[in-house]
Amino acid sequence: MKSKRHSCPVCDYPGLLEPPRSPSGGGSYEICPSCGFQFGVDDDDKGITYTAARATWIAKGSPWTSKGTPQPKDWTMKKVDQKAPKKKTVKKTVKKKKA
Amino acid sequence: MNAAFTLTRHLRLLLGAAILFIAASVQAVELAETPKVQVDSTTATIFWKTDVDCGTRLNFGTSADALKQRRDGPVSSTHTVTLDSLSPGTTYYFSVGSARQKLATGTFTTPRTGSPSAAATPSVPTKAAPRPLPPLPAVAPAPPPTRQTWGNPQSLVDHYERHGPDFKSTNPDDYAAKAWTFLQQAKANAWPMKLDDSDGTLRVWNGQSGSFAAYDRNGKTKTYFKPGSPTYWQRQPGRPIKPSQLPFK
């Protein structure tokens, strides 16, 4: 039986083993194997927002970052881009800055 | 009008000073257990207890009137300081306390290589009857295999690549072993711990080294690193917990 998986709020990868945040608000400390964001560290310690982390990851070409967890065959950069609602937010932000 | 205002202001200042003085008097730290020393030819571990939480400071040297070297530790009521690179066959003098207050002094002599351990001689009597501390193991136990100590084996290499340099780890297994050892030291020395009842995560902190680790409800490591933010530990959720109350061994 497969345990319940959770989505990454940065890149939408649906295979996180734990919720990124516990009910108390604490980070899971899990490193997303897709985008490499570590919950409770990149945000709580380094102050990086999900939006900023996503923009950075996309700018790098949306690479699979984990060296220990293999990339699922059905998880590709193209798929990320297709289902990336937050990417629009990033684009809007960029346009506003230009204006 | 101005005179009345000035008088009121002075009265407020006097009242504030009195409150500060009373608060400082109430919080005066006292020794609850005299310093104990376990010593071999090149290292010494000094333990003492205070009646309330306070900072940890130990000054030491080879002359009673020149305690030039200093070690600081975290705020706690149970204090442990380990000195290494000592010279065999040498008498050392030390004082213990906090940054604000010296609580006791003592001496110990490192045995010459091959001779039995020397005893410490604390020189300040204390109000509390000393209770024996559990003896330290002569040799630290070897960490179990990584598969028994790390929560998600697939994630280990990623944690190692990111945080291994914080501890000069040489490979993922070394990093996992250090994370396991950190928990054992935290239990032995009563370092600050918080248990998150919402998901069973145990968070552990050592202020002296600035190291943080998190473990799952079975005691397996989730991560181990040195946060950059000075308020990181204070912002972590969970209720304080003592080693004896942990849900795992």
Side-chain angles (χ1 to χ4, degrees), chain B residues 122-133:
Chain B
S123 59
V124 173
T126 61
K127 64 172 185 177
R131 282 174 290 170
L133 288 170

Side-chain angles (χ1 to χ4, degrees), chain B residues 151-217:
Chain B
N152 173 19
Q154 284 192 323
S155 75
L156 175 58
V157 67
D158 297 331
H159 285 263
Y160 162 69
E161 292 218 331
R162 182 172 292 212
H163 304 304
D166 287 354
F167 309 101
K168 297 178 180 172
S169 301
T170 53
N171 57 58
D173 287 331
D174 178 49
Y175 170 71
K178 283 176 174 167
W180 178 86
T181 302
F182 183 73
L183 178 57
Q184 309 317 308
Q185 290 175 330
K187 288 194 280 190
N189 298 308
W191 290 347
M193 298 183 184
K194 293 178 185 177
L195 183 66
D196 189 337
D197 290 314
S198 72
D199 68 349
T201 296
L202 175 72
R203 296 177 169 91
V204 181
W205 171 248
N206 179 255
Q208 195 168 11
S209 64
S211 304
F212 171 89
Y215 304 87
D216 67 17
R217 63 179 73 249

Side-chain angles (χ1 to χ4, degrees), chain B residues 25-109:
Chain B
S25 303
V26 168
Q27 290 181 354
V29 180
E30 290 191 44
L31 207 59
E33 278 192 20
T34 53
K36 307 281 188 304
V37 183
Q38 292 193 342
V39 60
D40 63 28
S41 58
T42 59
T43 63
T45 303
I46 297 102
F47 313 87
W48 71 96
K49 289 188 178 180
T50 47
D51 59 343
V52 295
D53 284 350
C54 68
T56 300
R57 174 165 293 181
L58 182 141
N59 293 85
F60 70 104
T62 53
S63 171
D65 51 13
L67 308 181
K68 291 179 179 174
Q69 299 188 70
R70 192 175 93 190
R71 298 287 185 275
D72 289 329
V75 173
S76 174
S77 61
T78 304
H79 309 268
T80 305
V81 173
T82 299
L83 307 175
D84 52 19
S85 303
L86 301 175
S87 302
T90 305
T91 296
Y92 287 89
Y93 300 83
F94 65 87
S95 69
V96 300
S98 65
R100 293 181 178 178
Q101 198 176 352
K102 183 162 70 173
L103 297 172
T105 59
T107 66
F108 63 87
T109 302

